[in-house]
Amino acid sequence: MCDWCEKYGDGYERWYFNPANYARRLYKIRKEEAVASGAEANPQAAGGMAFVGRDFIEARDRGDIAEVERIKQQTEGAMWLTHFGQVLTLEEAHKITDIMYPISLISCACRRSMEGLPDEENFTCMGMGPGMYKWERWPDTYRGGVHFLTPDEAKEVLSKLNKRGLVHSIYTFGTPYLGGLCNCDYPDCAAIRTVVDLEIKILWKGHYVAKIDPELCNGCASCIHRCQFRALSFNPSRNKAYIDQFQCFGCGLCATECDQEAITMVERASLPALANVW
Amino acid sequence: MLPTIIVDDEKCEDPLSCRRCLIICPTHVLGLGTDVGAQKFRETDTSHFIVRPVRFDKCSGCMDCVDGCPQSAIQVSFGGGDAR
Ligand code: SF4
Ligand code: SF4
Ligand code: SF4
Ligand code: SF4
Ligand code: SF4
């Protein structure tokens, strides 16, 4: 079972369907976060959101496995208490818009950092829960302002971003308080690139795993570009898409693109070898 | 091999409107930060934005950013060799 559902699910099917996790005591993490995770003292100066510092990259470069493990565990431990995410399917993201309020469309800090995008082209991130009511305290985090959305508007925005190829995920701000519904891609999203490139689990895999039906797949390859996690490739020998299910993060972007319905999203818990692969 | 990438913040005056190096780096190495951190109750003035090698572990050493920066603000070097 997913650790977070076990700890914070309280009888709900998923921890992020438990309304209590959107309404807990507001977080106080801004200061501690950077120090605890071993990133540069000013994470913004380190480039938006660097979760680890140069010491980690250097340890990896010289093959110092013990040091890599040490920093990795220290970073994960700190981030799991304060700020980490889990991948969602579009259906799950839609469902969340019905159980929490308010929800707002905001500019994306990661893409501001990595693309230098002007705010008006950068409304891809969502902030939610009572924490949003104090957004004016942090005008820099919310550059370009905040659009509060109705649940229906939020679903529409999520569907559009899904079409564009962005991965949905949910983030804590002082675990288990859930405050971010993010829509992201590799490598500009700090969380996706940290988990994919550095294998530090800032982002947990979701509750589903994609599975190909080789009988239904016609080899059109139109799903291949949708994967942001290096789990999906094309197999010329069989003329079919190939999914590495151990690498799949369960975002469902490939499945929503396949008009042959050759990809289904299977419950992770139903696959013994994958049930604990997060 | 890991690079040393140095950006001269004096020369790079307004990276948010230039952002040329961010766009031309083929491996998305460079990103923006600020030299003041998050500030309560006010938006950071764009003059505080700075360019930093966020994903320096993905730098190939192609020098496209060095050659493409209109202000010649970026230096990239490997193994302690001469910066270009
Ligand atoms: S997590 Fe995703 S949506 Fe949120 S700020 Fe980063 S890239 Fe943007
Ligand atoms: S989109 Fe569907 S049919 Fe086309 S390659 Fe992918 S799985 Fe196969
Ligand atoms: S294989 Fe499909 S569901 Fe899995 S991570 Fe890639 S796009 Fe998402
Ligand atoms: S190209 Fe040069 S001047 Fe432009 S943002 Fe990059 S470092 Fe600054
Ligand atoms: S040298 Fe090439 S790969 Fe390295 S940061 Fe500059 S543009 Fe990017």
Side-chain angles (χ1 to χ4, degrees):
Chain A
M1 193 182 186
C2 159
D3 289 6
W4 311 109
C5 290
E6 199 161 344
K7 267 197 193 145
Y8 304 116
D10 197 22
Y12 286 85
E13 192 193 356
R14 313 271 191 241
W15 67 299
Y16 43 79
F17 294 152
N18 176 4
N21 293 332
Y22 296 90
R24 284 175 196 263
R25 187 167 56 88
L26 289 185
Y27 53 95
K28 266 197 188 317
I29 56 164
R30 285 179 191 274
K31 274 259 161 55
E32 294 87 326
E33 188 181 343
V35 180
S37 65
E40 264 75 10
N42 173 358
Q44 293 208 341
M49 279 144 281
F51 289 104
V52 284
R54 189 166 175 120
D55 50 342
F56 181 79
I57 307 292
E58 283 177 352
R60 267 182 130 231
D61 190 53
R62 62 174 188 269
D64 186 343
I65 297 166
E67 180 67 355
V68 166
E69 241 350 89
R70 189 190 66 77
I71 299 177
K72 180 177 142 96
Q73 275 178 25
Q74 182 194 321
T75 306
E76 288 180 345
M79 298 313 290
W80 294 349
L81 286 174
T82 52
H83 185 44
F84 77 97
Q86 185 166 36
V87 169
L88 306 169
T89 61
L90 178 62
E91 290 68 30
E92 290 181 302
H94 278 181
K95 190 166 166 184
I96 286 169
T97 65
D98 286 325
I99 60 176
M100 49 68 49
Y101 199 81
I103 186 157
S104 58
L105 187 60
I106 60 180
S107 58
C108 161
C110 295
R111 277 172 281 243
R112 174 157 51 249
S113 165
M114 297 306 287
E115 299 289 330
L117 275 187
D119 298 327
E120 59 279 12
E121 292 170 32
N122 194 25
F123 279 89
T124 44
C125 196
M126 285 173 163
M128 54 184 183
M132 282 314 300
Y133 290 127
K134 56 173 197 172
W135 73 273
E136 279 170 307
R137 273 196 219 176
W138 300 99
D140 207 50
T141 302
Y142 302 106
R143 283 182 96 91
V146 166
H147 303 286
F148 284 98
L149 305 173
T150 67
D152 283 347
E153 286 169 344
K155 288 187 190 68
E156 203 177 303
V157 171
L158 286 163
S159 296
K160 263 193 205 144
L161 297 174
N162 186 283
K163 191 100 207 124
R164 203 199 275 186
L166 301 179
V167 174
H168 313 294
S169 50
I170 192 126
Y171 283 86
T172 67
F173 288 80
T175 308
Y177 176 74
L178 291 162
L181 186 49
C182 282
N183 307 287
C184 325
D185 55 356
Y186 176 88
D188 296 333
C189 168
I192 293 185
R193 70 169 178 262
T194 301
V195 72
V196 170
D197 291 339
L198 308 178
E199 293 168 76
I200 295 176
K201 216 195 300 179
I202 301 296
L203 183 62
W204 282 53
K205 295 187 175 78
H207 284 83
Y208 294 90
V209 180
K211 183 163 172 270
I212 296 227
D213 184 334
E215 311 258 281
L216 292 176
C217 174
N218 64 11
C220 74
S222 57
C223 57
I224 310 293
H225 71 285
R226 301 275 283 175
C227 189
Q228 301 297 313
F229 295 100
R230 297 186 194 149
L232 181 54
S233 55
F234 190 77
N235 183 275
S237 298
R238 288 198 188 173
N239 192 36
K240 309 230 178 259
Y242 171 81
I243 292 174
D244 176 351
Q245 293 188 299
F246 288 82
Q247 178 64 23
C248 173
F249 271 65
C251 69
L253 282 171
C254 53
T256 49
E257 190 70 12
C258 177
D259 56 17
Q260 303 300 308
E261 294 181 17
I263 304 178
T264 39
M265 301 306 294
V266 180
E267 283 268 355
R268 185 174 294 279
S270 73
L271 301 167
L274 292 169
N276 283 313
V277 176
W278 297 102
Chain B
M1 190 183 277
L2 295 173
T4 302
I5 301 176
I6 299 169
V7 181
D8 185 334
D9 300 334
E10 300 283 308
K11 289 187 184 166
C12 170
E13 275 176 5
D14 188 0
L16 201 53
S17 36
C18 170
R19 71 189 182 113
R20 177 150 173 77
C21 54
L22 273 56
I23 309 299
I24 61 175
C25 172
T27 51
H28 299 221
V29 167
L30 301 159
L32 298 174
T34 73
D35 59 9
V36 285
Q39 291 167 294
K40 233 177 181 176
F41 297 116
R42 67 166 137 149
E43 204 164 276
T44 302
D45 188 85
T46 51
S47 65
H48 285 291
F49 279 76
I50 50 176
V51 172
R52 286 294 177 270
V54 179
R55 305 174 76 227
F56 62 90
D57 50 316
K58 296 291 182 192
C59 172
S60 68
C62 71
M63 303 295 163
D64 284 2
C65 58
V66 176
D67 299 335
C69 171
Q71 308 300 327
S72 304
I74 308 177
Q75 291 187 318
V76 177
S77 61
F78 283 84
D82 285 349
R84 234 187 90 187

mmCIF file of all heavy atoms in Angstrom, chain A residues 54 58 61, chain B residues 1-6 56 59-61 63 75-84:
data_model
loop_
_atom_site.group_PDB
_atom_site.id
_atom_site.type_symbol
_atom_site.label_atom_id
_atom_site.label_comp_id
_atom_site.label_asym_id
_atom_site.label_seq_id
_atom_site.Cartn_x
_atom_site.Cartn_y
_atom_site.Cartn_z
ATOM 1 N N ARG A 54 25.447 21.128 -5.205
ATOM 2 C CA ARG A 54 26.512 20.617 -6.053
ATOM 3 C C ARG A 54 27.212 19.404 -5.424
ATOM 4 O O ARG A 54 27.717 18.537 -6.125
ATOM 5 C CB ARG A 54 27.523 21.730 -6.351
ATOM 6 C CG ARG A 54 28.537 21.320 -7.401
ATOM 7 C CD ARG A 54 29.357 22.461 -7.980
ATOM 8 N NE ARG A 54 30.350 21.907 -8.883
ATOM 9 C CZ ARG A 54 30.436 22.196 -10.182
ATOM 10 N NH1 ARG A 54 29.626 23.077 -10.712
ATOM 11 N NH2 ARG A 54 31.334 21.606 -10.955
ATOM 12 N N GLU A 58 28.470 16.114 -7.452
ATOM 13 C CA GLU A 58 29.892 15.743 -7.457
ATOM 14 C C GLU A 58 30.100 14.345 -6.899
ATOM 15 O O GLU A 58 30.903 13.575 -7.434
ATOM 16 C CB GLU A 58 30.718 16.778 -6.679
ATOM 17 C CG GLU A 58 30.931 18.036 -7.502
ATOM 18 C CD GLU A 58 31.694 19.143 -6.769
ATOM 19 O OE1 GLU A 58 31.938 18.983 -5.548
ATOM 20 O OE2 GLU A 58 32.022 20.150 -7.422
ATOM 21 N N ASP A 61 29.231 11.993 -9.526
ATOM 22 C CA ASP A 61 30.212 12.055 -10.608
ATOM 23 C C ASP A 61 31.446 11.211 -10.269
ATOM 24 O O ASP A 61 32.009 10.550 -11.131
ATOM 25 C CB ASP A 61 30.601 13.516 -10.856
ATOM 26 C CG ASP A 61 31.430 13.677 -12.112
ATOM 27 O OD1 ASP A 61 30.972 13.198 -13.167
ATOM 28 O OD2 ASP A 61 32.529 14.262 -12.042
ATOM 29 N N MET B 1 32.385 14.379 -17.210
ATOM 30 C CA MET B 1 33.116 15.425 -16.484
ATOM 31 C C MET B 1 32.195 16.631 -16.237
ATOM 32 O O MET B 1 31.427 16.999 -17.111
ATOM 33 C CB MET B 1 34.324 15.860 -17.325
ATOM 34 C CG MET B 1 35.260 16.760 -16.550
ATOM 35 S SD MET B 1 36.611 17.326 -17.598
ATOM 36 C CE MET B 1 37.730 15.938 -17.488
ATOM 37 N N LEU B 2 32.309 17.186 -15.022
ATOM 38 C CA LEU B 2 31.419 18.296 -14.682
ATOM 39 C C LEU B 2 32.046 19.642 -15.077
ATOM 40 O O LEU B 2 33.238 19.843 -14.908
ATOM 41 C CB LEU B 2 31.120 18.292 -13.181
ATOM 42 C CG LEU B 2 30.341 17.075 -12.659
ATOM 43 C CD1 LEU B 2 30.258 17.112 -11.141
ATOM 44 C CD2 LEU B 2 28.952 17.021 -13.278
ATOM 45 N N PRO B 3 31.219 20.536 -15.568
ATOM 46 C CA PRO B 3 31.722 21.842 -15.991
ATOM 47 C C PRO B 3 31.721 22.847 -14.840
ATOM 48 O O PRO B 3 31.073 22.627 -13.820
ATOM 49 C CB PRO B 3 30.665 22.270 -17.007
ATOM 50 C CG PRO B 3 29.397 21.715 -16.421
ATOM 51 C CD PRO B 3 29.771 20.415 -15.749
ATOM 52 N N THR B 4 32.449 23.917 -15.013
ATOM 53 C CA THR B 4 32.259 25.088 -14.171
ATOM 54 C C THR B 4 31.648 26.154 -15.075
ATOM 55 O O THR B 4 32.221 26.481 -16.120
ATOM 56 C CB THR B 4 33.604 25.585 -13.610
ATOM 57 O OG1 THR B 4 34.195 24.508 -12.885
ATOM 58 C CG2 THR B 4 33.400 26.771 -12.678
ATOM 59 N N ILE B 5 30.466 26.606 -14.688
ATOM 60 C CA ILE B 5 29.761 27.590 -15.518
ATOM 61 C C ILE B 5 29.603 28.862 -14.680
ATOM 62 O O ILE B 5 29.022 28.820 -13.598
ATOM 63 C CB ILE B 5 28.381 27.058 -15.957
ATOM 64 C CG1 ILE B 5 28.552 25.745 -16.746
ATOM 65 C CG2 ILE B 5 27.637 28.104 -16.794
ATOM 66 C CD1 ILE B 5 27.256 25.076 -17.156
ATOM 67 N N ILE B 6 30.167 29.935 -15.180
ATOM 68 C CA ILE B 6 30.118 31.190 -14.429
ATOM 69 C C ILE B 6 29.370 32.243 -15.246
ATOM 70 O O ILE B 6 29.660 32.440 -16.430
ATOM 71 C CB ILE B 6 31.532 31.703 -14.108
ATOM 72 C CG1 ILE B 6 32.269 30.663 -13.251
ATOM 73 C CG2 ILE B 6 31.474 33.038 -13.359
ATOM 74 C CD1 ILE B 6 33.750 30.944 -13.111
ATOM 75 N N PHE B 56 23.714 21.730 -14.365
ATOM 76 C CA PHE B 56 25.064 21.714 -14.944
ATOM 77 C C PHE B 56 25.553 20.305 -15.245
ATOM 78 O O PHE B 56 26.410 20.096 -16.083
ATOM 79 C CB PHE B 56 26.051 22.461 -14.035
ATOM 80 C CG PHE B 56 26.189 21.839 -12.676
ATOM 81 C CD1 PHE B 56 27.149 20.865 -12.439
ATOM 82 C CD2 PHE B 56 25.346 22.223 -11.647
ATOM 83 C CE1 PHE B 56 27.275 20.282 -11.182
ATOM 84 C CE2 PHE B 56 25.464 21.636 -10.390
ATOM 85 C CZ PHE B 56 26.422 20.669 -10.158
ATOM 86 N N CYS B 59 25.368 19.508 -18.912
ATOM 87 C CA CYS B 59 26.079 20.373 -19.867
ATOM 88 C C CYS B 59 27.064 19.548 -20.685
ATOM 89 O O CYS B 59 27.897 18.831 -20.145
ATOM 90 C CB CYS B 59 26.818 21.473 -19.110
ATOM 91 S SG CYS B 59 27.898 22.448 -20.171
ATOM 92 N N SER B 60 26.971 19.667 -22.019
ATOM 93 C CA SER B 60 27.848 18.907 -22.912
ATOM 94 C C SER B 60 29.118 19.663 -23.251
ATOM 95 O O SER B 60 30.054 19.102 -23.811
ATOM 96 C CB SER B 60 27.098 18.598 -24.210
ATOM 97 O OG SER B 60 26.886 19.815 -24.916
ATOM 98 N N GLY B 61 29.115 20.953 -22.955
ATOM 99 C CA GLY B 61 30.259 21.770 -23.338
ATOM 100 C C GLY B 61 30.194 22.268 -24.773
ATOM 101 O O GLY B 61 31.216 22.607 -25.365
ATOM 102 N N MET B 63 29.137 25.043 -25.896
ATOM 103 C CA MET B 63 29.469 26.468 -25.925
ATOM 104 C C MET B 63 28.448 27.340 -26.664
ATOM 105 O O MET B 63 28.716 28.505 -26.942
ATOM 106 C CB MET B 63 30.872 26.720 -26.512
ATOM 107 C CG MET B 63 31.977 25.979 -25.781
ATOM 108 S SD MET B 63 32.169 26.551 -24.049
ATOM 109 C CE MET B 63 33.124 25.194 -23.365
ATOM 110 N N GLN B 75 30.735 32.000 -18.986
ATOM 111 C CA GLN B 75 31.979 31.258 -19.180
ATOM 112 C C GLN B 75 31.741 29.805 -18.803
ATOM 113 O O GLN B 75 31.159 29.519 -17.760
ATOM 114 C CB GLN B 75 33.071 31.812 -18.273
ATOM 115 C CG GLN B 75 33.542 33.199 -18.678
ATOM 116 C CD GLN B 75 34.740 33.622 -17.838
ATOM 117 O OE1 GLN B 75 34.767 33.409 -16.635
ATOM 118 N NE2 GLN B 75 35.732 34.198 -18.494
ATOM 119 N N VAL B 76 32.219 28.907 -19.658
ATOM 120 C CA VAL B 76 32.083 27.473 -19.380
ATOM 121 C C VAL B 76 33.458 26.839 -19.482
ATOM 122 O O VAL B 76 34.171 27.058 -20.468
ATOM 123 C CB VAL B 76 31.127 26.795 -20.394
ATOM 124 C CG1 VAL B 76 31.054 25.289 -20.134
ATOM 125 C CG2 VAL B 76 29.732 27.405 -20.316
ATOM 126 N N SER B 77 33.861 26.079 -18.456
ATOM 127 C CA SER B 77 35.151 25.395 -18.535
ATOM 128 C C SER B 77 35.045 24.001 -17.930
ATOM 129 O O SER B 77 34.157 23.725 -17.116
ATOM 130 C CB SER B 77 36.228 26.196 -17.799
ATOM 131 O OG SER B 77 35.877 26.324 -16.435
ATOM 132 N N PHE B 78 35.941 23.138 -18.342
ATOM 133 C CA PHE B 78 35.948 21.759 -17.841
ATOM 134 C C PHE B 78 37.299 21.424 -17.241
ATOM 135 O O PHE B 78 38.330 21.844 -17.763
ATOM 136 C CB PHE B 78 35.648 20.775 -18.983
ATOM 137 C CG PHE B 78 34.189 20.726 -19.340
ATOM 138 C CD1 PHE B 78 33.660 21.669 -20.207
ATOM 139 C CD2 PHE B 78 33.352 19.770 -18.792
ATOM 140 C CE1 PHE B 78 32.311 21.648 -20.527
ATOM 141 C CE2 PHE B 78 32.008 19.741 -19.110
ATOM 142 C CZ PHE B 78 31.488 20.670 -19.984
ATOM 143 N N GLY B 79 37.276 20.659 -16.169
ATOM 144 C CA GLY B 79 38.495 20.132 -15.575
ATOM 145 C C GLY B 79 39.518 21.194 -15.229
ATOM 146 O O GLY B 79 40.722 20.978 -15.328
ATOM 147 N N GLY B 80 39.021 22.361 -14.826
ATOM 148 C CA GLY B 80 39.925 23.431 -14.410
ATOM 149 C C GLY B 80 40.676 24.062 -15.572
ATOM 150 O O GLY B 80 41.558 24.882 -15.384
ATOM 151 N N GLY B 81 40.340 23.652 -16.803
ATOM 152 C CA GLY B 81 40.988 24.238 -17.977
ATOM 153 C C GLY B 81 40.575 25.680 -18.172
ATOM 154 O O GLY B 81 39.792 26.221 -17.400
ATOM 155 N N ASP B 82 41.087 26.293 -19.219
ATOM 156 C CA ASP B 82 40.781 27.699 -19.470
ATOM 157 C C ASP B 82 39.300 27.899 -19.746
ATOM 158 O O ASP B 82 38.697 27.153 -20.506
ATOM 159 C CB ASP B 82 41.572 28.212 -20.688
ATOM 160 C CG ASP B 82 43.027 28.437 -20.312
ATOM 161 O OD1 ASP B 82 43.329 28.393 -19.103
ATOM 162 O OD2 ASP B 82 43.846 28.627 -21.231
ATOM 163 N N ALA B 83 38.751 28.896 -19.111
ATOM 164 C CA ALA B 83 37.361 29.251 -19.391
ATOM 165 C C ALA B 83 37.293 29.919 -20.746
ATOM 166 O O ALA B 83 38.244 30.565 -21.171
ATOM 167 C CB ALA B 83 36.845 30.191 -18.316
ATOM 168 N N ARG B 84 36.198 29.684 -21.429
ATOM 169 C CA ARG B 84 36.031 30.322 -22.725
ATOM 170 C C ARG B 84 34.997 31.410 -22.621
ATOM 171 O O ARG B 84 34.046 31.258 -21.860
ATOM 172 C CB ARG B 84 35.552 29.293 -23.743
ATOM 173 C CG ARG B 84 36.412 29.240 -24.962
ATOM 174 C CD ARG B 84 35.771 28.336 -25.992
ATOM 175 N NE ARG B 84 34.867 29.122 -26.864
ATOM 176 C CZ ARG B 84 34.072 28.560 -27.777
ATOM 177 N NH1 ARG B 84 34.050 27.272 -27.899
ATOM 178 N NH2 ARG B 84 33.300 29.302 -28.530
#
